Amino acid sequence: MSRILEVDDVVKRFPVGRGMNVHAVEKVSLHIDSTETLALVGESGCGKTTLAHLIMRLSEPDTGTIALNGADITHLSATALRPHRRQMQMIFQDPFASLNPRRTVGRAVGDPMRIHRVDGEQGIRDRVAGLFDLVGLSPDDMRKYPHQFSGGQRQRIAIARALSLKPGLVVADEAVSALDVSVRARILNLMLELQAELGLAYLFVSHDLAVVERFAHRVAVMYLGQIVEMGPRRKVFQDPQHPYTQRLLDAAPIADPGERRERPLVSGEVPSPIWPHGEGPEVVGLEDLGGGHFVAPPSDRAAWRPDLSV
């Protein structure tokens, strides 16, 4: 498999006044191969969406590099970045907010092709009709507006729009978290079918471990702006090594109420990611456990800021 995305030591901090900075992303490195799904998991505020925006170049990294299909896109101008944007598209969490209520959904799906001048108007309309059929909607729906669809249907429209330029990488930021459970399953099945048919790679940002366990090939666990464990889904779920990964899995709901947890749940507030200018968290390194499984080594775990004891 070829490598479609490589992120190396990316940093993003936001000033909040009085000489303080939010350390949203701190020295993060990861990669995604073609046809692979990497799930980025962690609790709210850990930096998952910020990292997704950096990869999409919706935000500018402070330092580090982002390479797409081997090309460094970290500091490209808007004009130079334009051809690369066709290779990476995004599915947002709220499909209603991501669609213009004053434009038909057919127009919304076709606009990326118009912007990039992919084809003539008739060719674009034919392509949009094909995309609607691909995601399980009728081409007759192209003339409707976003408010005329259910949440699941709107997300199918958002998926069709993301596929309109035939990207190799799709970043899905909590793409199913706003949907009902039954609708969520259908959308996930659709995404898996599209991945198999079109050879897509996904960066799947989520806090729902049940979804991740079913959907992802590899998992990266993010906490306070850093990745503390990364590896194949089976290894991370069945043999979590970092205390934070263990706590995340312990916090997931258990289907069998009679099943006992090995560790009691941790309570308390998450440590603040805000630091004075010139200071910051200790940057953790990842130790190779073999088989593609990486974890912050014991020395880093011992110095890790949050108290993971009960």
Side-chain angles (χ1 to χ4, degrees), residues 4 34-35 69 86-88 165-170 199-202:
I4 192 167
S34 59
T35 73
N69 291 317
R86 295 178 61 171
Q87 282 301 308
M88 55 178 181
L165 295 174
K166 301 181 181 180
L169 172 68
V170 174
L200 299 171
Y202 290 126

Side-chain angles (χ1 to χ4, degrees), residues 39-41 219-223 226-231 235-237 239-246 249 284 286 289 293-296 301:
L40 189 62
V41 305
V219 178
V221 180
M222 197 167 184
Y223 187 71
Q226 299 187 54
I227 290 177
V228 296
E229 187 163 358
M230 180 163 52
K235 286 182 177 291
V236 172
F237 275 83
D239 187 26
Q241 294 295 308
H242 195 276
Y244 180 66
T245 309
Q246 295 168 0
L249 294 172
V284 302
L286 294 180
L289 302 181
H293 193 181
F294 299 86
V295 66
R301 293 184 226 171

Side-chain angles (χ1 to χ4, degrees), residues 121-295:
E121 193 58 36
Q122 184 57 51
I124 290 175
R125 284 197 293 269
D126 292 342
R127 168 73 175 155
V128 171
L131 286 168
F132 270 63
D133 184 63
L134 184 66
V135 299
L137 295 172
S138 169
D140 294 336
D141 292 331
M142 292 165 53
R143 295 186 293 271
K144 297 180 180 178
Y145 289 84
H147 73 272
Q148 295 177 273
F149 296 90
S150 67
Q153 289 174 322
R154 285 194 288 264
Q155 198 61 292
R156 289 175 186 268
I157 294 164
I159 292 171
R161 180 178 58 184
L163 298 179
S164 63
L165 295 174
K166 301 181 181 180
L169 172 68
V170 174
V171 177
D173 184 13
E174 301 280 8
V176 296
S177 64
L179 305 177
D180 293 338
V181 174
S182 60
V183 177
R184 185 182 309 171
R186 290 195 288 271
I187 295 298
L188 288 173
N189 286 335
L190 171 64
M191 293 177 68
L192 288 171
E193 291 168 4
L194 293 171
Q195 183 175 44
E197 182 175 347
L198 304 177
L200 299 171
Y202 290 126
L203 175 63
F204 191 76
V205 179
S206 180
H207 64 272
D208 190 332
L209 296 179
V211 170
V212 168
E213 187 173 15
R214 177 176 178 272
F215 190 74
H217 297 106
R218 290 189 301 122
V219 178
V221 180
M222 197 167 184
Y223 187 71
L224 287 177
Q226 299 187 54
I227 290 177
V228 296
E229 187 163 358
M230 180 163 52
R233 174 194 60 203
R234 187 180 299 275
K235 286 182 177 291
V236 172
F237 275 83
Q238 294 184 358
D239 187 26
Q241 294 295 308
H242 195 276
Y244 180 66
T245 309
Q246 295 168 0
R247 299 304 183 181
L248 272 184
L249 294 172
D250 287 345
I254 298 176
D256 182 0
E259 184 178 339
R260 299 183 62 183
R261 299 182 186 272
E262 295 182 2
R263 295 172 292 268
L265 291 179
V266 176
S267 60
E269 294 295 325
V270 177
S272 173
I274 300 176
W275 291 78
H277 181 70
E279 298 183 26
E282 178 183 354
V283 178
V284 302
L286 294 180
E287 182 180 85
D288 189 351
L289 302 181
H293 193 181
F294 299 86
V295 66

Side-chain angles (χ1 to χ4, degrees), residues 34-139:
S34 59
T35 73
E36 177 186 50
T37 299
L38 173 66
L40 189 62
V41 305
E43 59 198 312
S44 296
C46 71
K48 305 187 302 295
T49 295
T50 300
L51 179 58
H53 287 180
L54 293 172
I55 290 170
M56 292 296 299
R57 282 291 310 276
L58 299 177
S59 295
E60 297 295 319
D62 296 335
T63 60
T65 59
I66 300 167
L68 183 69
N69 291 317
D72 187 347
I73 65 170
T74 315
H75 302 296
L76 293 183
S77 66
T79 302
L81 185 63
R82 188 182 181 93
H84 296 283
R85 287 209 179 277
R86 295 178 61 171
Q87 282 301 308
M88 55 178 181
Q89 294 293 309
M90 193 163 188
I91 304 170
F92 296 93
Q93 179 175 0
D94 186 347
F96 190 69
S98 67
L99 294 169
N100 189 333
R102 297 188 178 185
R103 298 173 77 86
T104 64
V105 293
R107 186 78 184 178
V109 172
D111 276 347
M113 290 183 277
R114 295 183 181 92
I115 292 169
H116 287 267
R117 301 178 182 177
V118 170
D119 204 343
E121 193 58 36
Q122 184 57 51
I124 290 175
R125 284 197 293 269
D126 292 342
R127 168 73 175 155
V128 171
L131 286 168
F132 270 63
D133 184 63
L134 184 66
V135 299
L137 295 172
S138 169

